[in-house]
Amino acid sequence: MPTPEFNKAFKNNFYLTREWADFCSKVTNIKLTEKTISKQKVFLLKNKNISISNYNNKFSKEMKDNKISFMRVLPHVNNQSESPSFIEYALFYKKSYEEAVKDYKRSFSDALKQGEKYPHTTKIIKDYDKKIINKVYDVYTSQMKRLNSAIFPLSFFEHLMKSPSSLLFILEHKKNLISYSFCFQYKDNLYASIGGGNPDFFKLRASNKLYNELIKYSCEHN
C-alpha cells in the first residue's frame, strides 16, 4: 500500500500538466489530443498517455479498457517487484539538507569528500542560452557515442530549455563543463530530467557533486 508520504509526492505533479504535454508534442512532432477518463483529463499522443503518475487501480483499468498506454509509478522497490520496470524513478521526500546528508550512502559521501580536492562552481540557468545549450549538447553527444546509444537532436534540448518551468544545472571546473542536469520546477517539486557528465573529468566525482547540488537546491527551496 502507498504511504501518505508517497501519495503526497504526487500532489502537484508536473507530468500531468498541459505544459509537459505540449513539450512532448513539440519534440515528437505528434499532434496532441485530449480525453476525459473518470472526470480526469489525459493528454494523448497516438493513444499513449504521456503523463507519469501513481494512478489508482480503477483509473488504470479504465485506461486499459480504452486501449490507452500509460506509465504508472508504484510504491515498490523496483528490483523487488514481481514485474520490475525498465525505467526507474527515484523519489526524494521533503526534508532539510542536513537530514538528507545523513541518509547518503557511505560510498556517495566518500566520493563527495574525494571531489573536494577539485573545486567547482554551480550555475542554475532559467533562461534560454544558445551558447550554453551547444556546450551541453557537445558533452551529451560524446557521452552517447561512447555508450553507442541513440542521440536526441539538438532541438530536443532547445525545447527543453524554452519550457516555462525548466531550469538547467551546470557544474564547471576551471571553466570546463563537468556535469549538467535539466530539471523542471513545478510548485513544491523538482523533477530531474536528462543529465550527465564529461568523462574527461570523472576523477572530479562530477556526478556525485551534481546530485548533491540538486538535493541541496531542493531542500533550500522546500
Side-chain angles (χ1 to χ4, degrees), residues 11-209:
K11 183 181 177 183
N12 297 317
N13 188 347
F14 177 74
Y15 293 119
L16 296 177
T17 66
R18 180 63 190 243
E19 181 185 332
W20 170 249
D22 285 336
F23 165 73
C24 291
S25 179
K26 286 176 184 175
V27 299
T28 58
N29 200 27
I30 299 173
K31 184 181 178 183
L32 189 70
T33 57
E34 297 178 11
K35 195 164 191 172
T36 301
I37 308 283
S38 293
K39 297 181 180 180
Q40 183 173 326
K41 187 183 293 182
V42 294
F43 301 104
L44 306 173
L45 299 178
K46 292 185 178 178
N47 231 40
K48 292 180 174 62
N49 181 0
I50 51 83
S51 64
I52 307 166
S53 192
N54 62 329
Y55 300 115
N56 62 42
N57 290 335
K58 182 176 180 292
F59 193 77
S60 299
K61 184 180 181 304
E62 287 198 43
M63 284 196 285
K64 287 178 181 177
D65 291 342
N66 280 271
K67 294 182 170 54
I68 295 173
S69 301
F70 61 96
M71 295 181 71
R72 182 187 186 194
V73 182
L74 299 172
H76 302 154
V77 177
N78 198 25
N79 61 7
Q80 295 175 15
S81 172
E82 292 179 4
S83 303
S85 170
F86 289 115
I87 302 173
E88 187 167 8
Y89 292 91
L91 300 178
F92 296 90
Y93 302 120
K94 278 187 182 181
K95 57 182 68 177
S96 70
Y97 178 65
E98 290 72 24
E99 290 174 316
V101 169
K102 289 178 185 176
D103 290 335
Y104 285 177
K105 287 185 177 180
R106 184 172 178 176
S107 57
F108 187 85
S109 297
D110 288 346
L112 285 176
K113 288 176 183 175
Q114 292 167 21
E116 287 176 359
K117 293 184 288 185
Y118 311 97
H120 72 274
T121 56
T122 304
K123 293 180 181 176
I124 302 169
I125 299 150
K126 297 186 178 181
D127 296 316
Y128 177 75
D129 187 316
K130 185 175 179 62
K131 187 177 178 182
I132 289 175
I133 288 290
N134 287 335
K135 204 172 177 181
V136 167
Y137 194 67
D138 286 343
V139 173
Y140 163 75
T141 50
S142 67
Q143 274 181 285
M144 295 300 102
K145 287 174 183 175
R146 185 169 54 89
L147 297 170
N148 195 28
S149 183
I151 298 176
F152 290 140
L154 178 62
S155 58
F156 172 87
F157 292 85
E158 291 175 334
H159 286 310
L160 198 60
M161 194 68 249
K162 288 176 182 177
S163 298
S165 295
S166 72
L167 58 161
L168 170 64
F169 286 75
I170 60 170
L171 270 60
E172 294 180 322
H173 173 71
K174 295 181 179 179
K175 297 187 178 180
N176 293 298
L177 177 67
I178 61 173
S179 59
Y180 68 93
S181 178
F182 287 92
C183 299
F184 294 101
Q185 183 175 330
Y186 180 69
K187 295 187 178 179
D188 58 349
N189 288 332
L190 183 74
Y191 302 84
S193 184
I194 192 166
N198 189 332
D200 295 339
F201 298 95
F202 179 75
K203 70 175 183 179
L204 275 65
R205 302 299 184 184
S207 294
N208 301 80
K209 288 182 174 186

